[in-house]
């Protein structure tokens, strides 16, 4: 159950989410005395307190901690000093009250309340670090000491330990409500919410940084992949260009032909029988026509042409063998080449075309097994 004064503070917050967050946090402190006992148990032991007595002035600017109980059982003397301390406290003489409480602690084993009262005097003398230490000693003796929790909560607030202060003050209010703590709780609750918002903003900022970094990595990978693909495309284009240049660089000499003088098996082609004055140099015809020259780059065409010129009668002898002619003309690579070549040679063969006679220029032979209408259309 959250104390009424704390509930009023929470209800004044504008943001409902902040209200719910703070309620959950306060409810987590419902352990009260048990939580405070655990917290107090984690504080320095008496041996640690003894070591603090010997410390030089610490970084906070405070003098060394006042001494803690060591030994002794003079309870009468301790009672006298406690009475004096109470009078000094009532008069607002905090230095004298501090000395009187210290003498009472050294005379006999003190109660948690004596340590808590000395801590209150230390707070009045602007020594929150020493006050926190005395309250922790008190809570070791009595985890349910509301006064020790309250004074330590205020000391921790002064030290900037806001979460611990909120914890102590909330626990003290559960044990013994004190109106003087309400304002401190309000301030600490607001500081807690601000800290939560800062943490949330920091977390969001870290998430955004990670997202941005992931996007940068993804983009870098895509850029690298695209550059690699472009480089492969450039290399392929350069290779294709080099291949085209090598294939179309002119005909210095046909493979297996040796040069322009004549083709193997031809001897130079002076003239073909039945041609009248003789056939022009066939290589000049091949070289002067780009299509024929390109056709000679095809290995199949080159092989067929060499086979023709090596036969008796050369290209002209093909006309005396319709079966061979039909075979070659039906080839998708060789047929168009021969058709083009025959069209080129036709005007030079007398009568505007290839003679269909034999090598001597006689009439075409008769062959009952061959139907010339089966020959492919040369046009």
């Amino acid at each position: 159950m959250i104390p009424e004064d704390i509930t009023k503070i929470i209800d004044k917050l504008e943001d409902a989410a902040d209200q719910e967050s703070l309620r959950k946090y306060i409810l987590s402190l419902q352990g009260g005395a048990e939580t405070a006992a655990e917290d107090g148990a984690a504080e320095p032991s008496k041996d640690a307190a003894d070591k603090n007595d010997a410390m030089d002035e610490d970084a906070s600017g405070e003098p060394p901690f006042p001494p803690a109980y060591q030994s002794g059982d003079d309870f009468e003397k301790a009672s006298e000093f406690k009475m004096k301390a109470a009078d000094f406290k009532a008069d607002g003489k905090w230095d004298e009250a501090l000395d009187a409480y210290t003498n009472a602690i050294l005379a006999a084993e003190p109660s948690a309340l004596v340590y808590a009262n000395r801590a209150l005097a230390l707070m009045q003398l602007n020594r929150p670090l020493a006050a926190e230490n005395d309250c922790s000693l008190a809570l070791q003796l009595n985890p349910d000491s509301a006064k020790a929790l309250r004074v330590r909560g205020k000391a921790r607030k002064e030290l900037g330990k806001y979460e611990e202060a909120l914890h102590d003050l909330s626990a003290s209010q559960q044990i013994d409500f004190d109106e003087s703590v309400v304002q401190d709780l309000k301030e600490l609750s607001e500081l807690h919410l601000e800290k939560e918002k800062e943490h949330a903003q920091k977390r969001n900022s870290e998430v955004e940084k990670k997202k941005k970094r992931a996007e940068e990595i993804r983009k870098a990978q895509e850029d690298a992949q695209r550059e690699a693909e472009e480089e492969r495309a450039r290399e392929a284009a350069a290779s294709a260009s080099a291949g085209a240049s090598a294939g179309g660089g002119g005909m210095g000499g046909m493979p297996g032909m040796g040069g322009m003088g004549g083709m193997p098996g031809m001897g130079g082609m002076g003239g073909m029988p039945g041609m009248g004055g003789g056939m022009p140099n066939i290589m000049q015809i091949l070289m002067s026509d780009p299509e024929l020259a390109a056709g000679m780059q095809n290995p199949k065409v080159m092989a067929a042409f060499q086979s023709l010129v090596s036969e008796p009668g050369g290209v002209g002898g093909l006309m005396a063998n319709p079966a061979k002619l039909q075979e070659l003309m039906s080839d998708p690579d060789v047929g168009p080449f021969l058709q083009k070549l025959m069209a080129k040679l036709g005007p030079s063969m007398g009568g505007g075309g290839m003679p269909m006679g034999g090598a001597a220029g006689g009439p075409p032979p008769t062959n009952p097994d061959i139907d010339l209408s089966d020959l492919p259309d040369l046009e």
Side-chain angles (χ1 to χ4, degrees):
M1 181 69 179
I2 300 177
E4 184 178 355
D5 60 316
I6 299 177
T7 301
K8 290 180 180 179
I9 294 172
I10 296 175
D11 290 340
K12 290 180 180 179
L13 298 175
E14 296 180 357
D15 193 325
D18 291 344
Q19 292 179 4
E20 182 63 21
S21 175
L22 190 55
R23 284 194 183 91
K24 289 181 179 179
Y25 181 79
I26 298 297
L27 289 173
S28 70
L29 306 175
Q30 288 291 345
E34 290 82 358
T35 306
E38 293 176 0
D39 192 51
E43 298 295 334
S45 64
K46 289 184 178 181
D47 291 337
D50 294 340
K51 292 179 182 179
N52 289 335
D53 293 344
M55 288 194 313
D56 293 331
E57 185 173 313
D58 59 48
S60 68
E62 288 190 25
F65 294 165
Y69 171 73
Q70 298 291 328
S71 62
D73 55 0
D74 193 342
F75 290 100
E76 184 177 350
K77 184 178 180 180
S79 180
E80 291 176 3
F81 280 118
K82 284 191 283 185
M83 291 178 64
K84 289 181 180 180
D87 291 338
F88 289 134
K89 173 182 163 185
D91 294 337
K93 298 179 179 180
W94 295 108
D95 283 314
E96 292 83 347
L98 174 61
D99 291 338
Y101 279 127
T102 300
N103 288 327
I105 289 170
L106 294 176
E109 185 175 4
S111 66
L113 184 59
V114 176
Y115 274 124
N117 282 327
R118 189 173 74 169
L120 181 61
L122 288 167
M123 283 294 293
Q124 295 298 323
L125 295 172
N126 197 28
R127 296 176 63 180
L129 196 61
E132 179 188 29
N133 183 70
D134 268 8
C135 289
S136 296
L137 293 174
L139 289 167
Q140 289 182 25
L141 298 173
N142 179 15
D144 292 336
S145 175
K147 187 168 189 177
L149 285 168
R150 184 160 49 246
V151 176
R152 190 173 72 171
K154 292 188 176 185
R156 286 176 166 177
K157 179 186 174 187
E158 291 296 321
L159 294 170
K161 301 177 180 180
Y162 301 127
E163 294 298 316
E164 294 93 328
L166 181 59
H167 179 281
D168 284 345
L169 292 178
S170 298
S172 73
Q173 291 293 79
Q174 301 243 1
I175 299 171
D176 181 23
F177 178 79
D178 188 331
E179 186 68 30
S180 68
V181 176
V182 173
Q183 184 60 32
D184 290 318
L185 274 175
K186 178 181 179 181
E187 294 174 3
L188 289 169
S189 298
E190 292 173 351
L191 288 171
H192 172 75
L193 291 176
E194 289 178 4
K195 190 173 182 179
E196 284 295 315
K197 289 180 179 179
E198 289 176 1
H199 287 166
Q201 290 175 353
K202 185 176 181 180
R203 288 193 298 270
N204 292 337
S205 177
E206 290 297 324
V207 170
E208 288 301 319
K209 286 181 180 178
K210 290 180 180 179
K211 287 183 178 179
K212 183 177 180 181
R213 179 58 180 160
E215 179 63 21
E216 290 175 351
I217 293 174
R218 184 190 64 77
K219 188 175 184 302
Q221 291 174 339
E222 290 179 351
D223 290 343
Q225 182 178 358
R226 183 175 62 256
E227 290 176 1
E229 291 175 352
E230 291 176 352
E231 179 63 22
R232 287 194 294 269
R234 285 193 294 269
E235 291 176 356
S239 177
S241 177
S245 298
M251 293 177 60
M254 291 288 176
M257 294 169 63
M260 298 290 289
M263 299 190 71
M266 291 175 62
M269 286 196 71
M272 294 183 69
M275 298 295 294
M279 180 181 288
N281 191 325
I282 192 170
M283 288 305 298
Q284 291 179 357
I285 296 176
L286 291 174
M287 294 300 296
S288 64
D289 190 298
E291 292 184 20
L292 292 175
M296 291 295 287
Q297 298 293 329
N298 188 321
K300 184 187 291 186
V301 173
M302 174 62 72
F305 185 78
Q306 288 181 339
S307 175
L308 285 176
V309 297
S310 65
E311 294 290 333
V315 177
L318 178 64
M319 304 307 294
N321 189 352
K324 181 68 173 178
L325 175 62
Q326 183 175 8
E327 176 187 347
L328 293 176
M329 292 298 286
S330 63
D331 189 286
D333 293 325
V334 179
F337 174 81
L338 287 180
Q339 187 173 0
K340 179 70 175 178
L341 178 60
M342 292 169 64
K344 282 285 187 180
L345 292 177
S348 304
M349 298 174 67
M354 269 265 186
M356 296 302 294
T366 59
N367 189 337
D369 297 326
I370 295 179
D371 186 356
L372 293 181
S373 63
D374 291 337
L375 293 179
D377 187 3
L378 300 183
E379 294 298 319

